[in-house]
Amino acid sequence: MTNKHYAIIGGGINGLAVARQILLDFPDAKVTVFEKENAVAQHQSSHNSGVVHAGLYYEPGGLKARLCRRGAELVQQFCAENDVAYDECGKVVVALSKEEESRLDTIFQKSLANQVPDVRMLNASEIQDVEPNCIGTKALYSPRTAIVSYGAIACKIAEEIKLKGGEIVLGQKVVRLTEKNNKVSIHFENNEHYSTVFDYVVACAGLQSDRLAAHSGDIETPKIVPFFGQYYVIDEQFKSHVKGLIYPVPDPKYPFLGVHFTKRIDGQMTIGPNAFISFGRENYSGKKFNISDIYDFLTYKGFWKFSSKNMPAAMRELRTVLSQTNFVAEAAKYVPSLANVSVTPATRGIRAQAMESDGSLVDDFVIRKQGNITHIRNAPSPGATSSLAIAEYIVREVMTHD
């Protein structure tokens, strides 16, 4: 594995983490990262909640559970070693009804199986000991859940890659990979191809991962269907009403976590995100639309099957998209003192959600090796938390396995 030339497609936190891991494990290797933007971490890596997930929700034994737990430890260690801000502010997942309490008990059992540190259940009065303004009938408390800036971590990793002799090529969009005689060629959008061939390529293309994989000879599905999530910052005077993170109990029938309170590493308090179909895979402003992205999901039978199964949840989410008042009201169910708080739009994230043709959402991480090319096909939340562990897994297990 040493003295080989590796290419990483995508300069988000996952691509950068893989490049760094190769250089850590094989210091003599040559590593080149290709990023289509003019800076690293311009997409999901810098448009997210910043939460370092502890591993509460994930199916024990799955890749998500394993890599989230390992990833959370590695992120904490990386931040400590590189002087990156890290705030272990804690998180409560709050039930408001008997039905939610029973779902919360299931999450608690998963978190114990996943060995989430110091997690415990709180009764109604104990919730106020952690979050004085929060109401609920029962809550799951994860005191070790933390917040960071993944954009800042990604930039720090990029610096380390360069210090270790790796190269980061910006402003080059890779659209296809071809393999011949165990060597991989890289093809750019403008019909050019990179003059060097590579021994191994890892594609970490996020929102474009399905397209790059399919154009490079991998299977068509799962396809990426983009969902946006809008965050709002609450009025500065009210940010002390919430100390850390307050989440609802997720509905297992619907894949998104619901509107919640998230403290940011800069000290601001946000409410968000909602989850609704995005009219562009990279439409962060919400003001544009991309015809080919829209065509992609409208002509995908999986999208229509998903939509028909999730209409009530979609209508609930649409109300929060159309009205800030409805958005705040959803969050105020947990913190009534913030029922009338004013909010301003903040980060808008776009989730690269992998969807099968039967309308089911791919829950676990999907990492596929084909010859000397490895594609990350699905790495939604906790993808950023898990990034350093995903890198270990790819470099130490996937790439060495034939």
Side-chain angles (χ1 to χ4, degrees):
M1 300 288 276
T2 55
N3 298 320
K4 296 206 167 177
H5 198 168
Y6 299 83
I8 311 299
I9 315 303
I13 195 165
N14 277 305
L16 294 167
V18 171
R20 170 182 177 265
Q21 192 65 49
I22 293 168
L23 290 164
L24 285 172
D25 287 5
F26 310 109
D28 297 332
K30 279 190 74 179
V31 176
T32 305
V33 178
F34 294 93
E35 165 55 47
K36 67 176 182 172
E37 307 297 350
N38 291 319
V40 299
Q42 294 301 293
H43 293 282
Q44 293 176 103
S45 304
S46 55
H47 293 83
N48 58 60
S49 65
V51 176
V52 182
H53 292 283
L56 305 178
Y57 311 102
Y58 316 121
E59 211 49 57
L63 264 187
K64 262 191 184 181
R66 174 189 153 193
L67 298 182
C68 179
R69 282 296 322 125
R70 172 69 177 152
E73 291 168 5
L74 290 172
V75 165
Q76 183 176 16
Q77 186 183 324
F78 183 89
C79 289
E81 289 171 359
N82 291 277
D83 201 24
V84 176
Y86 181 95
D87 180 359
E88 209 169 70
C89 60
K91 166 179 174 175
V92 284
V93 183
V94 181
L96 299 176
S97 66
K98 286 288 177 202
E99 183 196 352
E100 288 189 350
E101 282 184 28
S102 100
R103 299 207 303 255
L104 194 63
D105 288 333
T106 303
I107 294 169
F108 181 50
Q109 293 309 315
K110 282 183 180 175
S111 64
L112 291 177
N114 292 336
Q115 300 182 316
V116 176
D118 304 329
V119 67
R120 67 180 193 271
M121 294 296 277
L122 308 174
N123 63 32
S125 62
E126 290 170 327
I127 294 171
Q128 263 94 48
D129 296 338
V130 177
E131 288 285 358
N133 297 300
C134 180
I135 60 165
T137 58
K138 200 173 182 181
L140 173 60
Y141 179 37
S142 170
R144 304 284 294 279
T145 295
I147 50 172
V148 294
S149 163
Y150 286 111
I153 290 173
C155 290
K156 192 62 83 169
I157 294 173
E159 286 174 22
E160 187 179 339
I161 289 166
K162 290 175 188 170
L163 282 172
K164 292 185 185 306
E167 184 185 11
I168 298 176
V169 178
L170 300 172
Q172 287 285 15
K173 181 178 180 180
V174 176
V175 294
R176 193 162 57 96
L177 305 166
T178 53
E179 184 173 347
K180 188 177 178 184
N181 300 328
N182 294 325
K183 297 289 182 181
V184 183
S185 296
I186 288 179
H187 306 264
F188 298 126
E189 187 175 39
N190 45 17
N191 287 329
E192 292 178 20
H193 69 274
Y194 200 65
S195 55
T196 308
V197 292
F198 295 86
D199 297 294
Y200 207 101
V201 176
V202 183
C204 312
L207 287 153
Q208 309 295 340
S209 58
D210 58 333
R211 289 171 174 164
L212 179 57
H215 292 159
S216 304
D218 197 27
I219 57 177
E220 293 279 334
T221 55
K223 277 183 81 70
I224 295 297
V225 176
F227 288 84
F228 77 79
Q230 178 69 57
Y231 289 87
Y232 291 89
V233 175
I234 71 169
D235 184 337
E236 177 97 19
Q237 296 171 50
F238 294 89
K239 69 180 185 184
S240 61
H241 285 230
V242 178
K243 290 183 166 183
L245 313 173
I246 301 175
Y247 278 56
V249 179
D251 182 344
K253 296 195 294 287
Y254 195 61
F256 306 109
L257 289 175
V259 172
H260 44 267
F261 290 94
T262 308
K263 183 183 178 186
R264 260 185 359 197
I265 199 69
D266 64 3
Q268 295 296 342
M269 181 59 63
T270 66
I271 303 175
N274 45 17
F276 205 71
I277 193 72
S278 175
F279 296 128
R281 294 194 183 194
E282 298 171 8
N283 178 21
Y284 299 108
S285 69
K287 294 173 182 152
K288 304 174 188 166
F289 55 88
N290 182 303
I291 295 292
S292 82
D293 290 350
I294 296 169
Y295 179 81
D296 243 16
F297 68 72
L298 287 181
T299 55
Y300 184 44
K301 64 182 178 183
F303 170 70
W304 293 105
K305 290 182 177 177
F306 169 81
S307 301
S308 65
K309 287 186 282 194
N310 290 282
M311 200 52 73
M315 289 299 101
R316 185 187 70 221
E317 293 292 327
L318 183 58
R319 284 196 294 275
T320 69
V321 171
L322 298 175
S323 161
Q324 281 187 20
T325 308
N326 282 333
F327 194 98
V328 173
E330 280 291 313
K333 290 175 185 174
Y334 302 89
V335 184
S337 63
L338 294 176
N340 299 307
V341 72
S342 61
V343 296
T344 50
T347 308
R348 185 185 179 99
I350 298 179
R351 178 187 177 110
Q353 179 60 61
M355 188 181 288
E356 297 289 4
S357 53
D358 64 358
S360 62
L361 300 188
V362 182
D363 185 50
D364 211 349
F365 296 149
V366 177
I367 298 165
R368 284 176 48 83
K369 181 172 184 279
Q370 182 193 39
N372 288 346
I373 302 170
T374 294
H375 293 277
I376 298 183
R377 294 291 301 251
N378 191 47
S381 179
T385 300
S386 309
S387 55
L388 297 172
I390 288 172
E392 278 187 346
Y393 172 71
I394 287 174
V395 174
R396 296 178 181 176
E397 295 183 47
V398 178
M399 282 171 35
T400 57
H401 179 72
D402 289 316

